[in-house]
Amino acid sequence: MHRVLIVDDADDTRMMLGKLLTIAGHEPVFAANGWEALLTLDNTPVDLVLLDLMMPGMDGSTFLRILRQSQRNRKLPMVIVTALDYGHAEKELEHLGVESFLMKNEDLFRKLLSAVDGALAARESSAADSSPSQSPSASEPEAGKSISH
């Protein structure tokens, strides 16, 4: 079972994503904005973050920039789930280690599980390739994975 942090200001979206991930055998953890997500990550280890970009307080892009400065969480797999047309920001977000971009539309839930499974498999593959003498944070995947749409 993997723990997945869902960061989205819309209660209904968080709950639907959480239910879907629970059905798929993952443990969802919830945050309503970037500030709440940073506090959650201080107290709760997670394997992946599903991140909305448009949120009040601290938006997803700002959260991601802060997260990537953290030694502990800078390589944490990240999947963007947004209603925004992210084309203009895609290169910048890719540089910050985003695994996948998913649009909030009718195909979201079908594509979501594929993106989550792919990002977690890449993390586990990277961890398996690490030597046993490395700490758990050193076995996280490299930032800048390929982007799927």
Side-chain angles (χ1 to χ4, degrees):
M1 175 183 294
H2 294 98
R3 189 174 291 152
V4 179
L5 175 59
I6 301 168
V7 186
D8 197 304
D9 61 314
D11 293 337
D12 57 341
T13 301
R14 282 194 317 271
M15 293 305 110
M16 285 191 309
L17 293 172
K19 286 180 183 180
L20 181 64
L21 290 170
T22 299
I23 290 168
H26 302 293
E27 179 186 347
V29 178
F30 303 99
N33 59 50
W35 290 113
E36 193 176 312
L38 289 174
L39 291 172
T40 299
L41 288 171
D42 281 344
N43 301 307
T44 307
V46 301
D47 300 300
L48 179 115
V49 176
L50 296 180
L51 179 64
D52 186 18
L53 293 179
M54 281 189 354
M55 296 178 290
M58 180 190 296
D59 67 10
S61 296
T62 303
F63 165 78
L64 184 54
R65 283 184 197 88
I66 292 169
L67 185 76
R68 293 306 188 218
Q69 293 173 6
S70 159
Q71 183 66 29
R72 183 173 131 201
N73 292 312
R74 72 175 169 193
K75 294 181 182 179
L76 189 61
M78 188 76 48
V79 174
I80 301 295
V81 180
T82 186
L84 283 176
D85 177 11
Y86 51 80
H88 66 282
E90 185 175 355
K91 288 294 183 191
E92 177 185 357
L93 293 171
E94 181 180 344
H95 175 70
L96 291 171
V98 172
E99 313 302 324
S100 297
F101 293 89
L102 301 174
M103 295 298 295
K104 289 182 180 176
N105 60 27
E106 61 276 356
D107 289 337
L108 171 63
F109 298 110
R110 179 179 54 81
K111 293 177 180 177
L112 176 68
L113 289 180
S114 177
V116 166
D117 290 344
L120 290 170
R123 179 184 181 149
E124 289 172 357
S125 174
S126 178
D129 293 341
S130 299
S131 68
S133 64
Q134 291 182 317
S135 68
S137 63
S139 66
E140 294 177 294
E142 293 298 317
K145 297 289 181 191
S146 63
I147 303 297
S148 63
H149 299 275

